[in-house]
Amino acid sequence: MKLLIDDAHMEVIRRLYEFYPIDGVTTNPSILAKSGRPPYEALKEIRAFIGKDADLHVQVLAMDAEGMVKDAHRIVAELGDATLVKIPCIPEGFKAMKALAKEGIRTTGTAIYTAMQAYLAAKSGAEYTAPYINRIDNMGFNGIQVTKEIQDIFENHGFRTSMLAASFKNSQQVLELCRYGIGAATVAPDVIESFVKNQAITAAVDDFVKDFGELAGMGKTMSDC
C-alpha cells in the first residue's frame, strides 16, 4: 500500500519524508488554503522536493467538465505529467475524466461517499478513487466497509483503477485497509505520526538504553565499544 501525506506545508512534508517511507503527497483546495501561499508556488515546491516521478494529487476547481479539463491542462503543464488531477465524482466530473483519459492525463476521482461513485469513476478512466473514510462515518455509514466494497467491485470487474483512501481519524482505520490490500492511503501528518506513538514502544527503547548503559557506561552505543 502506498502511503501519501495529505498536507501542503513544506516543513511538515520534509519532516515526514525524513523519517517515514512516504510515496507522495495529496492536496485539495482546503489544504492549499491552509498553507497560506499562492497555489502553484506551494505545489511547485512540493513537486521539486518529492521528485518528478512521485505521486502528487492536485484538485480542479471548475464545476463544469470543460473547465475541469482546462484546469487539468494547467495543472499538468505546471507540475508535470506524473501529477494526478483530482476530479470530483459528479456528473460533470465523469465527463471530464472520460475526456482526460483519452488524452492520457492521470486522474483521481475524489469526494467519494458511495461505492457507485467509485464504480462510475473507474468506468470513466480514473487511475485512483478517493473514498472519504471519516466523513462517511460521520454521515452514519461505515467508511471502512464502503471502501472494502469498492475494492471488491474493482477486483470482481477487473478494473485497473486503484484505491486512494482518505479522511482518516486514527491509525487503526489505516491498518484495517492496509490489511485488506488497498492500493494507497493519504493520511494527515498527525495520524501518520501516531502510527508509532505508543508509550509501550518508548518504554521498551528506554529500557534497552538503560540496560546497555549499566553494562558499557551511560550514553555509550555499539559504535563506542
Side-chain angles (χ1 to χ4, degrees):
M1 182 182 80
K2 288 185 178 181
L3 177 62
L4 290 86
I5 303 168
D6 201 25
D7 201 274
H9 291 88
M10 276 308 308
E11 66 277 12
V12 173
I13 293 170
R14 286 193 184 94
R15 185 180 75 248
L16 292 175
Y17 259 83
E18 180 180 0
F19 294 108
Y20 299 99
I22 303 296
D23 298 293
V25 174
T26 63
T27 64
N28 61 41
S30 298
I31 284 173
L32 289 174
K34 290 176 183 176
S35 77
R37 301 174 62 191
Y40 283 110
E41 177 184 298
L43 290 165
K44 285 181 178 180
E45 188 173 3
I46 293 170
R47 170 55 80 198
F49 176 76
I50 68 177
K52 64 182 180 66
D53 297 322
D55 285 355
L56 173 61
H57 298 249
V58 181
Q59 189 164 327
V60 302
L61 265 295
M63 294 302 295
D64 63 288
E66 182 178 356
M68 291 176 184
V69 170
K70 184 178 179 180
D71 276 2
H73 289 162
R74 174 72 186 280
I75 288 167
V76 172
E78 295 281 356
L79 302 168
D81 293 340
T83 307
L84 291 118
V85 180
K86 295 173 69 175
I87 310 284
C89 287
I90 58 178
E92 292 287 340
F94 300 131
K95 181 179 178 180
M97 288 177 209
K98 291 192 297 178
L100 292 168
K102 291 178 181 178
E103 298 182 36
I105 292 177
R106 304 171 73 192
T107 61
T108 297
T110 193
I112 290 178
Y113 290 82
T114 70
M116 186 55 71
Q117 283 179 285
Y119 166 76
L120 292 171
K123 289 277 287 181
S124 298
E127 183 172 335
Y128 284 97
T129 58
Y132 290 172
I133 309 303
N134 195 46
R135 295 190 188 187
I136 294 172
D137 284 353
N138 289 339
M139 292 175 63
F141 300 99
N142 187 323
I144 294 294
Q145 186 58 42
V146 170
T147 303
K148 289 180 177 180
E149 289 173 0
I150 295 170
Q151 179 83 352
D152 291 342
I153 289 170
F154 289 175
E155 292 179 358
N156 290 340
H157 291 276
F159 288 139
R160 299 176 65 180
T161 305
S162 191
M163 197 78 65
L164 176 67
S167 181
F168 292 96
K169 65 181 178 181
N170 58 57
S171 60
Q172 180 59 36
Q173 292 174 319
V174 181
L175 176 61
E176 189 165 351
L177 290 179
C178 182
R179 187 184 298 121
Y180 203 71
I182 69 164
T186 180
V187 187
D190 61 328
V191 177
I192 291 176
E193 292 179 332
S194 76
F195 288 174
V196 291
K197 191 175 182 180
N198 185 301
Q199 186 57 42
I201 297 171
T202 302
V205 174
D206 288 346
D207 285 345
F208 291 144
V209 172
K210 177 177 177 294
D211 291 344
F212 193 79
E214 292 174 355
L215 171 67
M218 295 307 296
K220 298 290 186 179
T221 70
M222 291 299 290
S223 66
D224 300 317
C225 299

